[in-house]
Amino acid sequence: MKIPATFRCLTLTLVTLAIFAGLTATTASAAPKGAAMQPPPPPTCPANLWTLDLNTGAQTGALLPGSGIISTGPGITRRVVGLDLRPTALIQCTKANIVVEYEGIPTDWTVNIGDSPTNNGFGGGASGTTLSCAEVQVVNNAVNAFKHCPPPASGGALPLLPNPNPLSLKDGSLKFVVQNNYLSVGQPFASATSAESFHIPDTLGPNPDGSKIYAAFNRVISGPGDRIGTGVRRVMITLE
């Protein structure tokens, strides 16, 4: 019996559709279930270690994205380093460890760590850059911390207990641990904690300078040009 052409075409079409449906089902079953529903990885603080030789400018290791030397001089031994603790959604740190090594007897301004790029010592800085504008400084053998920018009429200096002044820094070293509401300087150990509302980095708002920290060596972070010093030879920075 002769099969009509129309019936043959319809049969071929149905067979083709059946084969295609089978291939689609096989492909779908081979795909991992729930692949599109995987949550994003949690943020981490990657292992990092960065060192800087102030005499030669040599650097080793690497800082996180968005961090690095942002200003130099006057002279080759003076640097300002910008640190971003949370540069991306997947890179999130909360603490900066800064170790400063001295060579010889330090003079004048050797360390200035603050929350504002306009910090210039004694709690000074331009209003509007951050809400608190906190900073810590080492001048000769004395360490002082300030929590306001500009400081209140009382001077705004924070008591560091036990009081580490005066320090003996000749050929020595000093470690700073900085996180929100916390500062330690040692050894000898001293701290300014949440009781004094010390904000580096500034998390208060409404427009804080994000998660950034600024650290100057043998100078202040931002002028004046006469607030400079000598003595810092090496710096080591790690973030946690």
Side-chain angles (χ1 to χ4, degrees):
M1 180 178 65
K2 186 176 181 181
I3 300 176
T6 302
F7 184 79
R8 289 200 306 271
C9 292
L10 179 59
T11 301
L12 181 60
T13 301
L14 292 175
V15 171
T16 303
L17 290 174
I19 294 174
F20 178 77
L23 291 174
T24 303
T26 301
T27 303
S29 63
K33 294 182 179 180
M37 301 300 292
Q38 294 295 322
T44 60
C45 185
N48 58 87
L49 170 62
W50 181 76
T51 66
L52 170 66
D53 188 312
L54 271 295
N55 282 7
T56 65
Q59 304 175 43
T60 63
L63 292 170
L64 299 184
S67 299
I69 296 174
I70 59 175
S71 183
T72 61
I76 63 173
T77 64
R78 300 179 175 95
R79 300 286 189 276
V80 180
V81 179
L83 303 172
D84 194 341
L85 299 185
R86 301 184 177 187
T88 71
L90 295 180
I91 300 178
Q92 304 276 306
C93 302
T94 61
K95 178 193 299 183
N97 304 293
I98 302 172
V99 177
V100 176
E101 295 183 353
Y102 288 92
E103 184 176 62
I105 300 175
T107 63
D108 300 317
W109 296 79
T110 57
V111 178
N112 183 208
I113 301 172
D115 182 58
S116 170
T118 67
N119 279 135
N120 57 16
F122 298 112
S127 61
T129 56
T130 66
L131 193 60
S132 68
C133 211
E135 63 180 320
V136 58
Q137 65 191 40
V138 180
V139 182
N140 293 316
N141 289 326
V143 180
N144 287 288
F146 301 83
K147 65 178 180 179
H148 294 296
C149 165
S154 62
L158 298 178
L160 295 176
L161 301 174
N163 195 323
N165 303 327
L167 296 173
S168 179
L169 297 175
K170 179 183 177 181
D171 296 322
S173 64
L174 201 57
K175 180 179 180 180
F176 301 83
V177 178
V178 182
Q179 59 186 1
N180 190 45
N181 280 335
Y182 182 87
L183 161 73
S184 73
V185 184
Q187 297 285 343
F189 179 83
S191 66
T193 60
S194 57
E196 291 85 20
S197 301
F198 190 74
H199 292 278
I200 300 178
D202 187 358
T203 59
L204 298 178
N207 295 304
D209 196 15
S211 53
K212 295 180 180 179
I213 296 172
Y214 302 89
F217 307 103
N218 292 329
R219 55 168 287 178
V220 292
I221 295 169
S222 175
D226 59 341
R227 289 186 178 175
I228 57 178
T230 63
V232 176
R233 171 62 191 268
R234 296 181 185 87
V235 177
M236 180 178 70
I237 298 176
T238 58
L239 304 181
E240 298 179 33

